[in-house]
Amino acid sequence: MTIARFDHVSEAQFRQDAAHLSDPLLPGAIPLPARATAGSAGYDFVCPAEVTLAPGESIVIPTGVRAFMEPGWVLLIFPRSGLGFKHHMRLANTTGVIDSDYVSAANEGHIMVKIVNGSDHGFTLRRGERFCQGVFVPYGLAEEAGMPGERSGGLGSTGR
């Protein structure tokens, strides 16, 4: 069952969001997320630039990617297991939640991942290295008195 597709954000949006990175790949050169094997649930995202983190440091990594998905689905973002085991790398918000309407956000639905080095040593993510993975999951709805509004902002915009 196909419920989603990945695409790149525009070069202008990526350049704006990646201004803090040194020599990043541009969106067209960033591979779209892919599964490593037929049995893999997660779609691997690659790091667009070399990033080195000292212990306790964090950085926002713009992936250059957005996800179009059917209503009733969500894309959950997790660190790749090996990076968590070896370097205690984690996402700042534990699990990233990419809603189906995020693709319509003002930032083109650009998936941004904030990682934290939770280890006692520094580590480097290489340009093009797989660093996080996304898993599509269906979700249900509770009874609601009214219909929620439409998304207009970008990252973190659904806060009330």
Side-chain angles (χ1 to χ4, degrees):
M1 164 178 38
T2 302
I3 53 85
R5 73 176 171 83
F6 293 107
D7 197 3
H8 294 107
V9 297
S10 69
E11 185 173 327
Q13 183 66 53
F14 181 79
R15 284 185 186 276
Q16 177 182 324
D17 295 338
H20 63 289
L21 298 178
S22 178
D23 193 31
L25 293 168
L26 293 178
I30 297 171
L32 291 174
R35 297 179 309 141
T37 68
S40 296
Y43 287 80
D44 293 330
F45 286 74
V46 302
C47 192
E50 185 167 299
V51 173
T52 299
L53 291 177
E57 277 191 324
S58 65
I59 190 169
V60 174
I61 298 178
T63 65
V65 173
R66 59 187 173 168
F68 293 86
M69 64 191 103
E70 296 291 326
W73 289 83
V74 63
L75 177 62
L76 301 179
I77 306 291
F78 306 97
R80 290 198 63 234
S81 300
L83 293 171
F85 280 114
K86 292 176 191 170
H87 305 295
H88 300 267
M89 187 192 95
R90 60 182 170 78
L91 272 57
N93 59 341
T94 312
T95 301
V97 177
I98 310 299
D99 299 312
S100 62
D101 64 348
Y102 182 56
V103 74
S104 302
N107 71 346
E108 300 179 20
H110 193 181
I111 298 171
M112 310 279 277
V113 180
K114 185 172 185 178
I115 61 169
V116 178
N117 178 356
S119 74
D120 60 0
H121 61 273
F123 75 90
T124 299
L125 292 175
R126 304 280 177 225
R127 187 169 128 167
E129 181 178 353
R130 298 173 297 159
F131 77 103
C132 71
Q133 58 187 321
V135 178
F136 291 100
V137 178
Y139 65 88
L141 300 175
E143 293 180 19
E144 294 183 61
M147 197 62 170
E150 297 290 318
R151 178 183 297 275
S152 60
L155 186 66
S157 66
T158 57
R160 294 177 193 216

